[in-house]
Amino acid sequence: MSGVLPKKFRYDINGLRAWAVVAVILFHFGVPGFAGGFAGVDIFFVISGLLMTQIIVTGLESNSFSFGRFMFARAKRIFPTLAALCLVLLVFGWFWLPTLDYQKLGTHIVGAALFISNHKFYSEAGYFDAASYEKWLLHSWSLSVEWQFYLLLPLVLMLAWRWRGKQAVLFSLLAIAFVSFVLSVYAVETNPSAAFYLLPFRAWEMVSGGLVWWVMRHQRLSQTASKVIELCGFGLILTAIFGFNGATPWPGGYALVPVLGAILVLAANRQVSPLTANPLLARVGLISYSLYLWHWPIVVFLAYAGEQSNPIWIVAGILLTLILGELSYRFIEMRCSNWLGQFSLKKAAWVLFGMLLFVELSAVATRHMDIEGRLPQVVEQASQESFDRHPRLEECLLSSERNVTDPSCIHGNGEVQAVVVGDSHANAVISSVALAAADKGSVVEMTYNGCSTVIGAKSRVHASQCEQFNQHVLDTLSTPSEIPVILISRLTGSVFGYNEPHAFHNTPVIYFGENTEQTRDDVYRDFVIKQTETVCQLSQYRPVYLVRPFPEMDVDVPKVRARHLMFAKSERDIFITEQAYMRRHAPIWQAQDQAAVACGAKVLNPLPYLCSNGQCMGTKDGHSLYYDSNHISEYGNKLLTPMFKPLFQ
């Protein structure tokens, strides 16, 4: 994110940095209107690509390029500030983070300091998911992508230069841009997390910056042409910032909008433009790297304290970001860079290695810091309830890495008394069904993550084989039997989108047919028809029970409970009102009623067991009833045993 400006200072680049970092910061703080502010990172990539290509190519042309000096110049500007942030977070976490969170922070610091955190975050939740707001160094993924680019680009261009000089260098840049863009467009549909986090799918953005420098290095546009091109560029950038959101497939083809916008602004090369060269933007651009580094932990802190939607806290967070960014730039970024610059390359490399080693050892030590009394025991216990899940979850809940025909899980002993079919919500309550049937026999579980049991439903997330799994379920259960089928799925989330922060927040997760852009109304219409078809097909052979949607909390219950105990030193009731529940789930109730009447199925309602006095509880008697925001915990699901008990009497 920092880069190194060429000897001839370009005010347009510095101003464009300011636009990019402001967009990212306002997006992360949740300021209304900046839903596409994440595109600021793509602008940073274009800028970095231009600067790095300029440094490498001009060095090769003058026969003065040194890979060691090139990497040292990057490291002395980037690493000390990152190391300082990591150490500050470790100190903060010692006093405030439960063991689970503290150990995760240590793991993330290891990846961030080695500039491989993009691969770590790729293996975890998506960038726009609710869990992202619990990762103090999530933003380091972009630094890792850039660092990997810094490592590989000079090596590729040096080889190309030795092969056939300038022509080979240009060919290499064009080839990388083309292949990377094609991969990005493909992966954004098939593997969105890889497309977002990994270098092969991002390289085209950086190389495009290099290409615009190559094309314009000996060109000079007229003043009028420069103004028009610059305005067009900012028009595209603003279109991305204000027009896109977390549900926009990214990067892929949509990323062309901010990337092309940045290309046009850089090609215009206006050094006296009020859009980039005014004093305020000049200063923000200068400290943009420090601003970027320090802003995200403040965002996470607001989420941790439960104040991420509080306007006063948001304004305070933005002001603190500006203060820390300025202080960090003055006293860490610049001073360390100047100090390291006084040493020989070899000595400075050892100093940087010493910094890295200290940060890494400190981070690794967090894995062994489960020290009694570090935090109140009640906080640690509340945090641990995030793992109050079915012990056979990974074994029984199928996912995209598993075959849809893997053997079903059997819970309990004796003859099978029921088959539970659905998604992770079914897996979350399977032990309560098994407990209800314990006196009679066992229960079979057939579940697939993110896959509601509806014929023809295709999932945009988690369940790449959802349609095949549902067909397998129907084929397996389409034999006459008195053994009932219990259908449990997060139907509201599938049809209308998730209620928690997520790439599919209020956006349908499933679709029908080949139209992947179906609206919520289109999906609901098809869902009503297909659910009735599903229930009727099963009802021909077996008794069928439809379970109403479980209440969904607005927050991750164990984590919010633990953090409230940490901050407020008191227990906090977490709940939603029954009115709020009905506003969200009423259309699904209507569809279930229609299917039940048409097919002779029966409906099971969990609300009498989970709700009372107009409130659906997320906590009870000092325990979390959920292990996140919507999956019922092992403690909570026992409340549902009386609902299932009559099925086996």
Side-chain angles (χ1 to χ4, degrees):
M1 290 296 168
S2 61
V4 174
L5 289 169
K7 292 180 180 179
K8 183 179 179 182
F9 190 87
R10 285 188 56 173
Y11 293 95
D12 59 329
I13 290 178
N14 199 48
L16 192 58
R17 276 201 187 106
W19 281 81
V21 78
V22 168
V24 172
I25 289 173
L26 296 182
F27 163 68
H28 282 154
F29 275 102
V31 176
F34 290 85
F38 54 85
V41 173
D42 304 84
I43 297 171
F44 274 123
F45 285 162
V46 176
I47 294 172
S48 290
L50 181 148
L51 295 172
M52 297 309 106
T53 304
Q54 179 183 22
I55 293 169
I56 296 167
V57 173
T58 54
L60 291 173
E61 289 175 337
S62 62
N63 199 31
S64 62
F65 180 75
S66 165
F67 179 77
R69 288 197 299 270
F70 174 82
M71 293 306 300
F72 171 65
R74 315 282 79 71
K76 73 176 183 176
R77 289 289 301 274
I78 293 174
F79 187 72
T81 314
L82 176 61
L85 173 64
C86 292
L87 294 175
V88 167
L89 289 177
L90 283 173
V91 173
F92 167 83
W94 174 262
F95 294 101
W96 291 102
L97 296 184
T99 299
L100 291 175
D101 291 350
Y102 197 44
Q103 290 177 343
K104 180 177 287 188
L105 171 63
T107 300
H108 289 167
I109 286 176
V110 169
L114 292 174
F115 296 104
I116 56 173
S117 63
N118 59 325
H119 288 272
K120 174 62 177 173
F121 294 127
Y122 161 61
S123 67
E124 298 177 356
Y127 182 77
F128 300 101
D129 292 353
S132 297
Y133 287 86
E134 301 161 5
K135 300 174 183 178
W136 298 86
L137 286 167
L138 177 67
H139 62 324
S140 68
W141 75 269
S142 61
L143 301 181
S144 296
V145 169
E146 288 200 21
W147 187 262
Q148 292 156 22
F149 181 74
Y150 297 160
L151 281 171
L152 295 177
L153 182 68
L155 297 177
V156 171
L157 297 190
M158 288 166 68
L159 288 174
W161 184 267
R162 291 183 179 182
W163 178 39
R164 288 197 176 178
K166 190 179 296 186
Q167 288 184 336
V169 169
L170 177 59
F171 174 79
S172 298
L173 292 172
L174 290 170
I176 292 170
F178 175 76
V179 172
S180 175
F181 178 70
V182 171
L183 288 174
S184 179
V185 171
Y186 174 75
V188 82
E189 296 292 338
T190 58
N191 193 341
S193 289
F196 192 93
Y197 284 116
L198 303 185
L199 176 63
F201 312 101
R202 290 287 193 166
W204 68 273
E205 300 179 68
M206 289 172 272
V207 171
S208 66
L211 289 172
V212 72
W213 170 80
W214 189 288
V215 171
M216 300 303 299
R217 62 186 301 198
H218 300 306
Q219 303 293 325
R220 195 68 185 174
L221 299 173
S222 69
Q223 188 173 3
T224 302
S226 294
K227 288 182 179 179
V228 171
I229 290 174
E230 182 192 48
L231 287 174
C232 290
F234 275 110
L236 290 172
I237 290 171
L238 294 176
T239 297
I241 293 172
F242 299 125
F244 296 156
N245 56 52
T248 305
W250 204 262
Y254 285 98
L256 275 173
V257 177
V259 168
L260 183 57
I263 286 173
L264 292 176
V265 172
L266 295 171
N269 197 7
R270 295 194 68 211
Q271 302 307 303
V272 292
S273 169
L275 293 174
T276 55
N278 67 71
L280 178 60
L281 288 177
R283 190 61 189 176
V284 172
L286 205 59
I287 65 174
S288 58
Y289 173 60
S290 286
L291 288 173
Y292 182 81
L293 269 191
W294 292 94
H295 89 282
W296 178 252
I298 298 173
V299 172
V300 175
F301 177 80
L302 294 189
Y304 194 91
E307 300 292 348
Q308 66 270 36
S309 300
N310 187 324
I312 296 176
W313 282 63
I314 290 172
V315 171
I318 294 173
L319 290 175
L320 182 59
T321 296
L322 293 173
I323 294 171
L324 290 179
E326 180 67 32
L327 294 175
S328 174
Y329 174 77
R330 290 187 183 188
F331 298 108
I332 302 176
E333 187 178 340
M334 292 309 301
R335 288 197 178 183
C336 285
S337 178
N338 294 335
W339 176 64
L340 288 168
Q342 297 173 5
F343 299 141
S344 67
L345 185 61
K346 184 177 180 180
K347 186 175 181 180
W350 277 109
V351 172
L352 287 170
F353 179 75
M355 290 183 187
L356 172 63
L357 190 62
F358 182 73
V359 171
E360 292 294 291
L361 290 176
S362 300
V364 170
T366 63
R367 304 295 300 178
H368 307 284
M369 286 187 175
D370 189 7
I371 297 176
E372 190 74 25
R374 186 176 65 87
L375 295 181
Q377 187 62 28
V378 65
V379 175
E380 293 285 13
Q381 289 174 346
S383 174
Q384 290 288 338
E385 289 183 322
S386 292
F387 292 95
D388 188 24
R389 329 174 167 186
H390 195 280
R392 297 175 65 192
L393 184 149
E394 293 187 3
E395 173 193 353
C396 296
L397 181 63
L398 301 183
S399 62
S400 56
E401 293 80 25
R402 302 274 297 278
N403 193 312
V404 297
T405 60
D406 280 356
S408 305
C409 280
I410 299 178
H411 304 272
N413 301 305
E415 294 185 5
V416 175
Q417 300 297 310
V419 181
V420 176
V421 178
D423 56 16
S424 58
H425 277 212
N427 174 270
V429 299
I430 188 67
S431 60
S432 66
V433 184
L435 183 61
D439 294 339
K440 300 290 185 179
S442 61
V443 173
V444 172
E445 175 186 352
M446 301 181 71
T447 57
Y448 197 113
N449 193 24
C451 182
S452 297
T453 311
V454 185
I455 290 175
K458 301 177 182 178
S459 178
R460 296 186 176 96
V461 63
H462 294 313
S464 59
Q465 297 174 294
C466 182
E467 193 172 13
Q468 297 94 314
F469 173 75
N470 283 334
Q471 190 58 54
H472 168 67
V473 168
L474 291 172
D475 293 342
T476 302
L477 300 180
S478 294
T479 54
S481 173
E482 292 302 315
I483 299 174
V485 176
I486 306 172
L487 301 182
I488 307 173
S489 296
R490 193 181 183 185
L491 295 172
T492 310
S494 294
V495 175
F496 297 108
Y498 299 145
N499 64 323
E500 70 269 20
H502 192 279
F504 290 92
H505 177 69
N506 290 336
T507 300
V509 179
I510 62 173
Y511 63 96
F512 297 89
E514 301 304 320
N515 182 11
T516 60
E517 302 298 324
Q518 279 189 309
T519 65
R520 286 155 57 107
D521 290 341
D522 294 335
V523 171
Y524 179 69
R525 181 197 64 232
D526 290 345
F527 162 74
V528 172
I529 297 170
K530 292 296 185 180
Q531 182 184 233
T532 300
E533 183 181 339
T534 304
V535 175
C536 284
Q537 182 168 335
L538 289 170
S539 296
Q540 294 180 51
Y541 303 99
R542 301 165 180 262
V544 176
Y545 292 86
L546 309 178
V547 178
R548 300 289 198 198
F550 299 133
E552 300 166 323
M553 299 297 111
D554 295 327
V555 296
D556 188 305
V557 178
K559 291 176 180 176
V560 168
R561 180 169 171 265
R563 292 164 189 174
H564 191 79
L565 288 167
M566 187 70 221
F567 278 88
K569 310 297 183 183
S570 64
E571 187 68 56
R572 172 186 176 182
D573 289 332
I574 299 173
F575 63 89
I576 63 169
T577 65
E578 286 195 49
Q579 287 182 329
Y581 172 91
M582 290 308 303
R583 281 197 300 271
R584 175 159 169 79
H585 300 287
I588 301 301
W589 278 45
Q590 295 171 9
Q592 288 180 320
D593 289 339
Q594 180 175 323
V597 171
C599 311
K602 296 181 180 180
V603 174
L604 300 177
N605 182 13
L607 264 60
Y609 307 92
L610 299 174
C611 311
S612 62
N613 301 321
Q615 295 178 344
C616 298
M617 301 304 298
T619 57
K620 184 177 182 180
D621 300 330
H623 290 279
S624 298
L625 300 184
Y626 294 75
Y627 66 74
D628 55 16
S629 66
N630 59 90
H631 292 91
I632 298 178
S633 66
E634 285 295 283
Y635 177 85
N637 72 38
K638 300 307 182 290
L639 299 176
L640 297 175
T641 299
M643 179 179 75
F644 295 114
K645 194 75 173 177
L647 276 65
F648 310 108
Q649 292 176 347

